[in-house]
Amino acid sequence: HKHTIPPLELLATKQAMKGNTVDDGNSKERRRFNPAITIASTMQCFKAWATQDKNGLKDFVFAQLKVAVILFIANVGNKFEPAYPRNDNHDPKIFWIVNAILAVGAFFTWKWEASKTGRSGGSPRIICLGREQTEEWKGWMQWAFIFYHYYRVYYVYNEIRVFVSAYVWMTGFGNFLYFDKKADFSFERFVSMIIRINYFPLLLSYFLTVPLELYYVVPLHTTGFVVTMITCWIGYKFQNACGMGYWKSRTLAVALSLFAHIIFYETPAVNFLLLFSKEYHFRFQADKYSAWLGMASGLLWGKLGEYMQWAHGFENDQRRHMMSIVQFCGGVALIAFWYGLFGSIQDKYTYNPVHPYVFIFAVMGWLMIRNSTRYLTECHSTLLEFLGRHTLETYVLQFHLFMTHNVQYIPVVIPGSDADGSAVLKFLNMLLCGSVFLTTAVFARKVTVSTQLAVVDLVKNITGTVDTSMTQVLPQQSTERKDSEQEQEDEETIELTKAVEFNSAKV
């Protein structure tokens, strides 16, 4: 498995030579560094990128002009007056009404697609947590999260904390599946994901002069991505450089990652985060094992696929019905266990210390229920999927457009919809602000992706990368894993992906 990335100096030297000499890998030319040649070669690569019809300089510049418009809108929204304090908008009844409206929307956008046969043929494969279902999951959690902020529903704090951790879990899970399948540890991949996660939030933080910790999920997901990439790279090296088998190499890498997590988070070393802020110190500890648990889940996902095929396949209808009931009841039991012992704790300062160790019960319980029948694995809501694709942008823009003054106030656009206004006018005001907010978030995602693709193409031109797709054949992996991962191949996935994308001002 090779990257076709010739060294920049070698590329420039070859262009300067008369003949086409074959480099044997030991040539002094490979080790020679000439700054003038390097700069000239880089400028040639930049010129080639600038003249590209797609993802070149033109697309990059247009994207930045659009970003400027979005930043202007966000700045106006963040300073909007009149507005009233968010704490005066406490309304649990409306919170549940808007969630019921979302449930109706999900019902009418419910889409079914039959299970497909895998690439190796045979019976149709049962996919658990495919791409559409992942986006759907992010969509409804994000909806609840944003309206939890908007209507100040304090008593669902513990549930919202689980949603936050589920997002971070997906960062480790999705990235593990990607790297484990593709073995793409290229600089291009790294740059692509760093831009996707950080570019827009960093611009908002700078131009709106707000502290980056307001978007604490951004460094949280960035760290999860980097840690997962390093862990998978170590596992890949164990297999290919040390001759270990698949399971031994991956298990050892994930175990070493756990050891590193324990050494940092369970010792005074964690106080290093105080050098940044108390907010980061709290947030990172609240999800200290979330991404790692996602990696561990990704490692076992092939075995889960084998179970899903056995339990919900086409061979035995009686077994399928029985296992659906058992799986559903097991999921309910896990959620009840979490809620009965931990989720029902009313004091958040009592719950927070145990949360990193117990949230996984609720997450696994939900996944068991959501995939308890073959029909459910084949269905998803297109509305929730749409919302899930824009969670990073809705996360950061909620502070400035849906709410205002860095999420501390509610904008009053419609006269009479202030804190003491009528419920109807306040609801209409929420719909109006929400429409502007969501439209801007969709626009922001498109612009970010355009920037991402243009910069990655520039990096590929400079490094001389021709093809970074590296497909690895691992016979130890099940076909279910390969089928489910096929949905992860898009360049902007795993913001899970991404990214991705959730949380907010102090929950």
Side-chain angles (χ1 to χ4, degrees):
H1 312 291
K2 294 182 179 179
H3 264 234
T4 54
I5 310 178
L8 203 54
E9 293 79 12
L10 179 61
L11 200 61
T13 304
K14 283 184 176 181
Q15 291 173 347
M17 296 172 65
K18 290 183 179 179
N20 293 326
T21 351
V22 177
D23 181 16
D24 61 359
N26 300 311
S27 170
K28 292 182 180 179
E29 300 292 346
R30 181 180 291 275
R31 299 187 296 273
R32 183 180 301 169
F33 175 74
N34 188 321
I37 293 178
T38 301
I39 293 173
S41 179
T42 302
M43 292 305 296
Q44 289 179 356
C45 294
F46 181 84
K47 184 178 180 181
W49 170 75
T51 57
Q52 286 183 188
D53 291 332
K54 186 178 181 182
N55 299 331
L57 180 61
K58 181 181 68 174
D59 288 347
F60 177 80
V61 171
F62 283 164
Q64 305 325 297
L65 293 175
K66 295 174 183 177
V67 166
V69 174
I70 296 172
L71 292 174
F72 174 77
I73 294 172
N75 187 58
V76 171
N78 199 46
K79 298 176 179 178
F80 188 85
E81 292 291 349
Y84 63 93
R86 184 167 58 112
N87 289 336
D88 294 342
N89 200 42
H90 175 68
D91 197 335
K93 181 176 69 174
I94 301 299
F95 170 79
W96 291 112
I97 288 175
V98 295
N99 280 284
I101 292 173
L102 182 69
V104 172
F107 176 80
F108 283 105
T109 58
W110 196 247
K111 180 181 178 181
W112 173 79
E113 186 175 351
S115 300
K116 298 177 182 178
T117 303
R119 286 173 291 180
S120 57
S123 300
R125 313 315 293 171
I126 308 301
I127 305 300
C128 177
L129 198 60
R131 175 67 185 275
E132 294 87 356
Q133 189 186 127
T134 302
E135 301 289 9
E136 174 196 275
W137 187 15
K138 291 192 298 177
W140 67 259
M141 288 194 301
Q142 182 79 325
W143 177 279
F145 181 75
I146 291 174
F147 281 104
Y148 158 80
H149 281 143
Y150 194 86
Y151 288 114
R152 306 302 286 154
V153 188
Y154 306 107
Y155 62 79
V156 296
Y157 171 86
N158 294 345
E159 288 77 6
I160 295 299
R161 282 245 48 84
V162 172
F163 294 173
V164 172
S165 296
Y167 267 89
V168 184
W169 178 89
M170 279 188 271
T171 297
F173 171 76
N175 280 290
F176 183 91
L177 292 185
Y178 176 86
F179 288 120
D180 194 50
K181 175 188 177 183
K182 303 289 287 183
D184 177 11
F185 306 106
S186 64
F187 182 62
E188 292 85 357
R189 180 65 187 178
F190 177 80
V191 170
S192 176
M193 293 310 302
I194 292 300
I195 291 176
R196 180 67 187 97
I197 300 172
N198 292 271
Y199 175 71
F200 186 56
L202 286 175
L203 288 179
L204 275 177
S205 175
Y206 179 78
F207 285 102
L208 272 63
T209 62
V210 299
L212 186 59
E213 65 183 28
L214 182 64
Y215 316 129
Y216 73 90
V217 70
V218 174
L220 195 61
H221 282 288
T222 302
T223 303
F225 162 72
V226 173
V227 169
T228 305
M229 185 177 187
I230 293 172
T231 301
C232 291
W233 179 82
I234 292 173
Y236 182 77
K237 288 299 181 182
F238 280 157
Q239 182 180 17
N240 291 274
C242 303
M244 293 184 182
Y246 172 80
W247 285 107
K248 186 176 181 180
S249 63
R250 299 316 192 270
T251 302
L252 181 57
V254 172
L256 287 174
S257 180
L258 175 61
F259 179 72
H261 278 71
I262 293 173
I263 290 298
F264 182 77
Y265 285 113
E266 305 297 346
T267 69
V270 72
N271 293 328
F272 169 77
L273 294 170
L274 290 173
L275 296 177
F276 299 95
S277 73
K278 291 182 179 180
E279 180 75 1
Y280 285 146
H281 186 258
F282 164 67
R283 296 298 181 181
F284 272 79
Q285 288 193 91
D287 283 299
K288 53 188 173 183
Y289 295 117
S290 301
W292 182 86
L293 286 167
M295 287 190 285
S297 301
L299 177 63
L300 299 173
W301 215 246
K303 294 299 182 182
L304 176 66
E306 294 174 3
Y307 158 76
M308 291 294 292
Q309 197 65 29
W310 173 81
H312 303 291
F314 294 79
E315 293 79 14
N316 190 318
D317 288 342
Q318 183 177 0
R319 178 175 64 200
R320 178 164 56 86
H321 293 311
M322 180 185 69
M323 293 309 300
S324 291
I325 296 173
V326 170
Q327 189 173 317
F328 180 86
C329 293
V332 171
L334 281 177
I335 294 177
F337 173 78
W338 169 81
Y339 185 79
L341 294 181
F342 310 105
S344 57
I345 298 174
Q346 295 184 358
D347 181 10
K348 68 178 182 179
Y349 297 106
T350 303
Y351 174 75
N352 283 337
V354 300
H355 170 80
Y357 310 98
V358 302
F359 83 90
I360 194 65
F361 293 111
V363 169
M364 292 297 106
W366 163 252
L367 290 177
M368 290 176 67
I369 294 172
R370 180 62 181 82
N371 295 277
S372 57
T373 70
R374 186 170 68 210
Y375 172 76
L376 287 176
T377 66
E378 298 171 337
C379 294
H380 72 279
S381 163
T382 55
L383 171 62
L384 298 184
E385 181 192 9
F386 167 79
L387 295 175
R389 287 200 303 268
H390 299 85
T391 45
L392 175 59
E393 290 72 28
T394 53
Y395 163 67
V396 294
L397 285 173
Q398 66 171 310
F399 305 122
H400 314 299
L401 290 179
F402 194 48
M403 289 158 275
T404 187
H405 298 283
N406 301 341
V407 83
Q408 297 306 317
Y409 286 78
I410 302 296
V412 179
V413 181
I414 299 177
S417 62
D418 54 9
D420 299 321
S422 74
V424 173
L425 288 178
K426 290 173 71 174
F427 191 80
L428 291 176
N429 185 75
M430 180 273 292
L431 291 179
L432 178 59
C433 294
S435 299
V436 175
F437 156 62
L438 183 58
T439 302
T440 308
V442 172
F443 187 40
R445 180 184 184 273
K446 292 180 179 179
V447 172
T448 303
V449 171
S450 296
T451 302
Q452 174 193 15
L453 296 176
V455 173
V456 169
D457 263 28
L458 174 60
V459 172
K460 288 181 178 180
N461 273 276
I462 293 176
T463 59
T465 304
V466 177
D467 182 13
T468 57
S469 61
M470 299 160 45
T471 304
Q472 178 184 17
V473 179
L474 296 173
Q476 296 91 333
Q477 291 177 278
S478 70
T479 54
E480 288 86 353
R481 174 187 298 217
K482 293 177 182 178
D483 289 336
S484 64
E485 290 168 359
Q486 196 156 6
E487 298 297 328
Q488 307 291 338
E489 293 181 11
D490 186 35
E491 189 64 20
E492 37 174 305
T493 62
I494 315 169
E495 326 153 353
L496 222 24
T497 20
K498 150 166 82 117
V500 115
E501 283 134 359
F502 195 49
N503 307 11
S504 110
K506 255 190 179 158
V507 190

